[in-house]
Amino acid sequence: GQQLNQSPQSMFIQEGEDVSMNCTSSSIFNTWLWYKQDPGEGPVLLIALYKAGELTSNGRLTAQFGITRKDSFLNISASIPSDVGIYFCAGLNSGGSNYKLTFGKGTLLTVNP
Amino acid sequence: DTEVTQTPKHLVMGMTNKKSLKCEQHMGHRAMYWYKQKAKKPPELMFVYSYEKLSINESVPSRFSPECPNSSLLNLHLHALQPEDSALYLCASSQMGAVGPKNIQYFGAGTRLSVL
């Protein structure tokens, strides 16, 4: 089945630093999603990407859908303490009755004030 | 509004109990999902309902029984659970479409379940 390799597994950074994380897949997706999950809460959608090569920003977040449709990255600029959490990438190929998200294993981000 | 509401927030139950988890959305989404999530792991899909009919069951044990009474509600009935079933149970919903924003899944805050 499809698998996503998400890296890094964890990051410890100082407030104000930039962060980059990425996901790669052995097969293509037609949608890439990035979610953030705080402890005890559900995943919250950060950015959605629909087209190969697409670069999308949401405030301090920037994400790109790889040209090959097999990868995506998420950048966070000027990190702040509330950026702490687990970030998941997810790929989706929808159509028919298949709406299954394939998740990466997550990147645990710790920001030191 | 992208809100998916789950109740209860926390649940503790014994292995002989019967309980239910509830999920509600008013976004007009016609696909609803149950996920199970262990600590620091990604969510694992359990069930998918589309147009109130079960379309995907990821080989989930029968002690978990989903129900979709109408297009806004999704229940998960629990019976004779095991301690290893303790986890965060997440509900999600989405529209249905071939490609694009319609298929984005929005998650609830989850129910933290502890089985004693």
Side-chain angles (χ1 to χ4, degrees):
Chain A
Q2 294 175 324
Q3 293 186 350
L4 293 186
N5 296 310
Q6 184 172 350
S7 64
Q9 202 169 1
S10 63
M11 301 182 73
F12 298 85
I13 62 171
Q14 293 297 123
E15 183 177 359
E17 290 183 357
D18 297 342
V19 171
S20 183
M21 58 193 78
N22 69 85
C23 274
T24 60
S25 170
S26 57
S27 52
I28 64 174
F29 290 102
N30 58 36
T31 300
W32 280 92
L33 305 171
W34 285 92
Y35 290 91
K36 182 196 176 195
Q37 187 170 22
D38 292 330
E41 298 293 329
V44 174
L45 181 70
L46 298 175
I47 290 182
L49 302 157
Y50 308 108
K51 296 180 181 178
E54 179 182 0
L55 183 70
T56 296
S57 293
N58 178 8
R60 294 179 295 108
L61 309 178
T62 302
Q64 184 158 30
F65 191 147
I67 291 289
T68 64
R69 296 169 64 190
K70 292 184 178 181
D71 62 294
S72 177
F73 72 74
L74 175 70
N75 289 340
I76 305 173
S77 62
S79 59
I80 59 178
S82 61
D83 290 333
V84 166
I86 301 179
Y87 292 78
F88 291 104
C89 63
L92 178 64
N93 282 324
S94 56
S97 62
N98 181 8
Y99 294 89
K100 294 176 65 171
L101 284 175
T102 301
F103 282 93
K105 292 187 176 181
T107 295
L108 175 60
L109 178 64
T110 302
V111 179
N112 294 318
Chain B
D1 180 16
T2 57
E3 187 170 349
V4 177
T5 303
Q6 289 189 245
T7 56
K9 182 78 170 175
H10 303 277
L11 180 63
V12 179
M13 60 186 292
M15 290 189 284
T16 58
N17 292 159
K18 288 184 180 181
K19 297 287 185 183
S20 296
L21 309 184
K22 297 185 182 301
C23 175
E24 188 169 4
Q25 57 87 15
H26 295 289
M27 296 178 278
H29 290 174
R30 301 310 296 273
M32 297 187 77
Y33 312 76
W34 280 116
Y35 288 85
K36 174 183 179 181
Q37 187 179 29
K38 290 285 198 177
K40 297 185 179 179
K41 299 290 187 182
E44 298 175 13
L45 184 65
M46 300 173 71
F47 303 104
V48 181
Y49 273 82
S50 57
Y51 294 101
E52 295 95 69
K53 295 193 186 305
L54 184 65
S55 59
I56 296 177
N57 176 342
E58 291 287 288
S59 302
V60 179
S62 60
R63 57 186 184 269
F64 295 91
S65 175
E67 178 196 19
C68 190
N70 60 56
S71 60
S72 299
L73 295 175
L74 186 66
N75 298 321
L76 186 62
H77 303 298
L78 314 173
H79 174 54
L81 294 193
Q82 303 297 310
E84 59 265 29
D85 295 322
S86 299
L88 181 68
Y89 287 84
L90 294 164
C91 174
S93 71
S94 72
Q95 297 183 53
M96 297 180 71
V99 179
K102 288 187 176 181
N103 48 37
I104 291 178
Q105 293 182 27
Y106 295 94
F107 288 83
T111 294
R112 173 71 61 190
L113 175 66
S114 298
V115 182
L116 305 178

